[in-house]
Amino acid sequence: MTKRGLEISKQIKGKLSQDPTIFQVDIFHKNVKETLKRIFGGYDAIIGIMAAGIMIRSTCKLLSDKKQDPAIIVMDDAGEHVISLISGHLGGANNLTLKIAKLTNARPVITTSTDVHGYMSIDALAKKYYWEIKNLEKIVKFNKAILEGRKVEIKAPRKLKYLCDDPFFKKSYKLIKDGNKVVKAIMDKDELLIKPRKLVAGIGTRKGVSEKKIIEGLKRTLSFLDLPLGRIDALATGEMKKNEEGIIKTSKILRIPLKFVDLNSLRSKDTYSTSDFVKDRFGVGSICEAAALHVAGEGSRLIIRKTTFNGIAIAVAVSREKVLKSVQQNKTKQKEDH
Amino acid sequence: MTKRGLEISKQIKGKLSQDPTIFQVDIFHKNVKETLKRIFGGYDAIIGIMAAGIMIRSTCKLLSDKKQDPAIIVMDDAGEHVISLISGHLGGANNLTLKIAKLTNARPVITTSTDVHGYMSIDALAKKYYWEIKNLEKIVKFNKAILEGRKVEIKAPRKLKYLCDDPFFKKSYKLIKDGNKVVKAIMDKDELLIKPRKLVAGIGTRKGVSEKKIIEGLKRTLSFLDLPLGRIDALATGEMKKNEEGIIKTSKILRIPLKFVDLNSLRSKDTYSTSDFVKDRFGVGSICEAAALHVAGEGSRLIIRKTTFNGIAIAVAVSREKVLKSVQQNKTKQKEDH
């Protein structure tokens, strides 16, 4: 909108582009209302460097529901405050607000009740660990209980023990180990069914890299999303790494299954990153990205693009969200009802 | 929404109720969406103590335009931030945000570009001094020039000299004295016509109160709206005060015309405040309010209700806004067009 706003947006773009969890940042400078209408469905987040009123008036008619809408954030064009307006939890606006505030030295303004009181809402928990909540309509009720200081029980199999190390988790939840494979959140007699999506870390290394360095690299990469190693469901690499001891030992030490992906499958994947060396030699843009996407399955997407450190390249993919379908059906139905 | 939110709303209500520029404060605690739909047109401002997302989603479909919409403000239920969301200038959301922040020790979050850079937009200027802007569509253009550091010329008759004492005015405007009665804002070849509404201070006193005390009382009362004495177009009192020297001298010293209002006219006015003593004796709820309303004319309204200090009661009324009519006609037309 203003010149100063444009300058700030360029700064933010520069900084966000270096973040491997962010895949595309575009700047639109003019025709606020028209531009927002056009781009609304195409981005996970929209950051308006303008008055809150302009942003709200321009997106008002475009809003649909919690599950579908992009994160909407506003920053004043003096860069003093950055405000999470829409889709704080499920859409990730709160986390992105914190990230931008950190990058720009602005003050983050978050208003969702659980957050301001230091609790963790059930939708924030789900968003953080890439869980799907099957009964979205119960979220409000669970969050209300959390706000009243009650602890929600999470019944989960042994392998979800990474939750115990989350300091925010402890204030609002109690983990109960359970043989059942289904994860449940329980409050009074109400149940909320949870399906963790599949998270796969794809690994590419130079020859002879040690498991110690790989594990260090994995931790460092996952830290971009504040994810614990224990949340990773599988490791993946290309078949050409079949004899790399470092990778094999990593899988054994971490007790995370390792999949080798054949060259044809790797080549069938569109990767975000491209290394000329790898492209020339194997015909695939990035082995770690392609391997992660293949093992995460049809419709999966990268959540951390290739990040390299000490000769190790790591990317993380997440399987497709399946709840979405039923929500979209509802949405279509609602539109027809009008 | 939450218990803590309800508590904060009660605190704010208690504090705002003591402010003579505020006439009614109501708390609504449940059924956010339904309640907002019902009350939307009936209040000058709505303060949501809840997540910004809930407030935006609940009022989105109700928004109309800058000129019509109430101020919309959000405060998180820990009372940390208070955020001006909608109608920052014309609707007064920014000023109310600052007021609430002061009352509750919250941090005010204002995002309108002129404000964050310390400029005064043309609509903020108009709002502050109860001016009507005849060409609303030019506001954006004028504000853009102000943001670029250019000074807008205000051509005004001698009596608007109170503007010179406004420190915020000086950064964005240049006052040019002009014999013409019409006030104009000028930038390049663009003109914006301005019509100051009539401001009337109604006075009631005990017998024999001095002009010095009355002038002190006037200043104190006007300070609730940060208005200068020079902005007052007329003083008003009841005919029973015809021989009060203090009131008469006040008018002479300040060079503001004084009108005496007859008892029948006073009785025809609905006042906000009621004094049993005055009611019993004259059949009118409050002389200062009734006199101010009568002199400000048909359709006028109080902007400061009766405030008493040292035996002096003062209220301020403003004449009806006349631009509104044409805007409402446009609005009706737009609706018909749909």
Side-chain angles (χ1 to χ4, degrees):
Chain A
M1 293 279 292
T2 64
K3 280 180 198 167
R4 175 83 184 120
L6 184 59
E7 275 166 39
I8 294 184
S9 70
K10 284 176 184 166
Q11 282 172 28
I12 293 178
K13 181 179 176 171
K15 286 171 177 172
L16 285 181
S17 300
Q18 289 165 35
D19 183 321
T21 68
I22 288 175
F23 293 78
Q24 191 176 338
V25 190
D26 294 311
I27 295 176
F28 303 95
H29 182 45
K30 296 201 167 174
N31 305 324
V32 180
K33 207 156 188 162
E34 280 312 304
T35 303
L36 282 168
K37 210 179 212 171
R38 191 162 45 80
I39 67 168
F40 194 77
Y43 290 81
D44 291 327
I46 297 171
I47 305 157
I49 303 169
M50 59 180 79
I54 302 174
M55 190 66 168
I56 295 170
R57 287 186 190 280
S58 307
T59 53
C60 243
K61 305 285 187 288
L62 307 170
L63 292 175
S64 152
D65 63 65
K66 270 192 181 195
K67 185 79 183 172
Q68 304 283 323
D69 293 330
I72 297 185
I73 291 169
V74 146
M75 188 178 208
D76 63 86
D77 78 349
E80 202 180 339
H81 293 107
V82 52
I83 311 162
S84 171
L85 288 183
I86 290 281
S87 299
H89 294 143
L90 284 178
N94 289 356
N95 285 336
L96 186 56
T97 295
L98 292 172
K99 183 175 281 185
I100 290 167
K102 211 170 169 186
L103 290 175
T104 60
N105 286 321
R107 180 174 167 116
V109 180
I110 286 169
T111 54
T112 38
S113 194
T114 43
D115 299 81
V116 297
H117 295 291
Y119 294 105
M120 188 183 213
S121 72
I122 189 84
D123 35 344
L125 179 67
K127 175 81 181 169
K128 177 170 180 183
Y129 291 112
Y130 292 84
W131 292 353
E132 285 177 67
I133 297 177
K134 293 283 180 188
N135 335 61
L136 289 171
E137 73 285 358
K138 289 188 182 168
I139 288 178
V140 172
K141 195 175 176 184
F142 272 71
N143 287 349
K144 210 180 153 208
I146 290 167
L147 270 173
E148 286 164 0
R150 295 171 62 193
K151 287 202 177 185
V152 169
E153 290 178 359
I154 303 285
K155 274 200 182 174
R158 197 164 300 256
K159 66 168 181 165
L160 295 194
K161 66 180 175 184
Y162 57 81
L163 289 175
C164 302
D165 300 324
D166 186 326
F168 298 102
F169 179 84
K170 281 179 196 166
K171 190 171 173 186
S172 311
Y173 301 90
K174 194 180 162 188
L175 185 67
I176 294 172
K177 283 173 190 170
D178 186 304
N180 210 321
K181 272 207 168 179
V182 181
V183 183
K184 290 177 186 173
I186 295 168
M187 202 261 310
D188 295 340
K189 278 163 194 163
D190 248 328
E191 272 188 5
L192 211 136
L193 295 180
I194 288 162
K195 187 172 176 296
R197 293 158 75 188
K198 191 174 183 182
L199 283 194
V200 183
I203 307 173
T205 62
R206 287 194 206 131
K207 276 188 182 163
V209 174
S210 72
E211 64 276 14
K212 202 184 147 193
K213 284 200 171 163
I214 295 174
I215 292 172
E216 201 187 319
L218 275 169
K219 281 185 185 164
R220 185 180 166 278
T221 302
L222 291 171
S223 73
F224 284 107
L225 285 174
D226 197 20
L227 282 171
L229 261 175
R231 175 62 186 90
I232 296 297
D233 298 301
L235 304 176
T237 189
E239 59 179 355
M240 63 292 259
K241 301 287 172 189
K242 215 146 202 168
N243 301 314
E244 274 299 327
E245 284 212 8
I247 297 179
I248 293 162
K249 279 187 182 162
T250 297
S251 163
K252 280 185 185 154
I253 291 170
L254 298 180
R255 296 183 184 198
I256 303 174
L258 168 64
K259 316 267 169 164
F260 293 98
V261 182
D262 64 275
L263 211 52
N264 274 341
S265 300
L266 289 180
R267 282 178 186 147
S268 72
K269 291 288 165 192
D270 277 334
T271 59
Y272 177 88
S273 309
T274 302
S275 146
D276 287 342
F277 174 78
V278 175
K279 188 89 192 169
D280 286 349
R281 196 148 169 213
F282 302 109
V284 52
S286 156
I287 290 172
C288 63
E289 289 185 4
L293 285 167
H294 180 77
V295 174
E298 186 82 30
S300 64
R301 62 181 179 87
L302 294 169
I303 55 173
I304 305 181
R305 54 184 159 90
K306 183 177 91 172
T307 150
T308 52
F309 184 65
N310 278 344
I312 307 160
I314 295 171
V316 180
V318 65
S319 64
R320 182 169 57 172
E321 196 165 8
K322 279 168 192 162
V323 170
L324 206 60
K325 218 182 215 175
S326 69
V327 173
Q328 275 175 331
Q329 279 168 349
N330 279 339
K331 208 183 148 192
T332 315
K333 203 170 161 294
Q334 278 172 10
K335 278 190 182 161
E336 284 167 357
D337 289 349
H338 271 292
Chain B
M1 294 278 292
T2 63
K3 280 181 198 166
R4 175 85 184 121
L6 184 59
E7 276 165 36
I8 293 184
S9 69
K10 284 176 185 165
Q11 282 171 27
I12 293 178
K13 181 179 175 171
K15 286 171 178 173
L16 286 181
S17 301
Q18 289 164 36
D19 183 321
T21 67
I22 288 175
F23 292 78
Q24 191 176 338
V25 189
D26 295 310
I27 294 176
F28 302 95
H29 182 44
K30 297 202 168 174
N31 305 325
V32 180
K33 206 156 190 164
E34 280 310 305
T35 302
L36 283 167
K37 211 179 211 171
R38 191 161 45 80
I39 67 167
F40 194 76
Y43 290 82
D44 291 326
I46 297 171
I47 306 156
I49 304 169
M50 59 181 79
I54 301 174
M55 190 65 167
I56 295 169
R57 286 186 190 280
S58 307
T59 53
C60 243
K61 306 284 186 288
L62 307 170
L63 292 175
S64 152
D65 63 65
K66 269 192 182 197
K67 185 79 183 170
Q68 303 283 326
D69 293 331
I72 297 185
I73 291 169
V74 145
M75 186 179 210
D76 63 84
D77 79 348
E80 202 180 340
H81 293 105
V82 51
I83 311 161
S84 172
L85 288 184
I86 290 281
S87 298
H89 294 143
L90 284 179
N94 290 356
N95 286 336
L96 186 56
T97 294
L98 292 172
K99 183 175 280 184
I100 290 168
K102 211 170 169 186
L103 290 175
T104 59
N105 286 321
R107 180 174 168 117
V109 179
I110 287 170
T111 54
T112 39
S113 194
T114 44
D115 299 82
V116 297
H117 294 292
Y119 294 105
M120 188 183 213
S121 72
I122 189 84
D123 37 343
L125 179 66
K127 174 81 181 170
K128 176 170 180 184
Y129 291 112
Y130 292 84
W131 293 354
E132 284 177 68
I133 297 177
K134 292 283 181 188
N135 336 60
L136 290 171
E137 73 285 358
K138 290 186 183 169
I139 289 178
V140 173
K141 194 175 177 186
F142 272 69
N143 288 348
K144 209 179 155 208
I146 290 168
L147 270 173
E148 285 163 1
R150 295 171 60 193
K151 286 203 178 185
V152 169
E153 290 179 358
I154 302 286
K155 275 201 181 172
R158 198 164 299 255
K159 65 170 180 162
L160 295 194
K161 64 179 176 185
Y162 57 81
L163 288 175
C164 302
D165 301 324
D166 186 326
F168 297 103
F169 179 84
K170 283 178 196 166
K171 190 171 174 186
S172 311
Y173 301 91
K174 193 180 163 189
L175 185 66
I176 295 173
K177 283 174 192 173
D178 185 304
N180 210 319
K181 273 207 166 178
V182 181
V183 183
K184 289 176 186 173
I186 295 168
M187 203 261 311
D188 294 339
K189 278 164 194 161
D190 248 327
E191 271 188 6
L192 210 136
L193 296 180
I194 287 162
K195 187 173 175 295
R197 294 159 74 188
K198 191 173 183 183
L199 283 194
V200 182
I203 306 174
T205 62
R206 286 196 207 132
K207 276 190 181 163
V209 174
S210 73
E211 62 278 14
K212 201 183 147 196
K213 283 201 171 162
I214 294 174
I215 293 172
E216 201 188 319
L218 276 168
K219 282 186 184 162
R220 185 180 164 277
T221 302
L222 291 172
S223 73
F224 284 108
L225 284 175
D226 197 20
L227 282 171
L229 261 176
R231 175 63 186 88
I232 296 298
D233 298 300
L235 303 176
T237 188
E239 59 179 356
M240 62 293 257
K241 300 287 172 189
K242 215 144 200 169
N243 300 315
E244 274 298 327
E245 286 212 8
I247 297 179
I248 294 163
K249 281 186 182 164
T250 297
S251 164
K252 281 184 184 154
I253 294 170
L254 298 179
R255 296 182 186 202
I256 304 174
L258 168 64
K259 315 268 169 163
F260 293 98
V261 183
D262 65 274
L263 210 52
N264 274 344
S265 301
L266 291 180
R267 282 180 187 146
S268 72
K269 291 288 167 193
D270 277 334
T271 59
Y272 177 87
S273 309
T274 302
S275 145
D276 286 341
F277 174 77
V278 175
K279 188 89 192 170
D280 286 349
R281 196 149 168 211
F282 302 108
V284 50
S286 155
I287 290 172
C288 64
E289 290 186 3
L293 286 167
H294 180 78
V295 174
E298 185 82 30
S300 64
R301 62 180 180 87
L302 294 169
I303 55 172
I304 305 182
R305 54 184 160 91
K306 184 177 89 173
T307 147
T308 53
F309 183 65
N310 279 343
I312 307 161
I314 295 172
V316 181
V318 65
S319 65
R320 182 171 56 172
E321 195 165 9
K322 279 168 191 160
V323 170
L324 205 63
K325 217 180 215 174
S326 69
V327 173
Q328 273 176 334
Q329 278 167 351
N330 279 339
K331 207 185 148 192
T332 315
K333 202 170 163 292
Q334 277 172 10
K335 277 191 182 159
E336 283 167 358
D337 289 349
H338 271 293

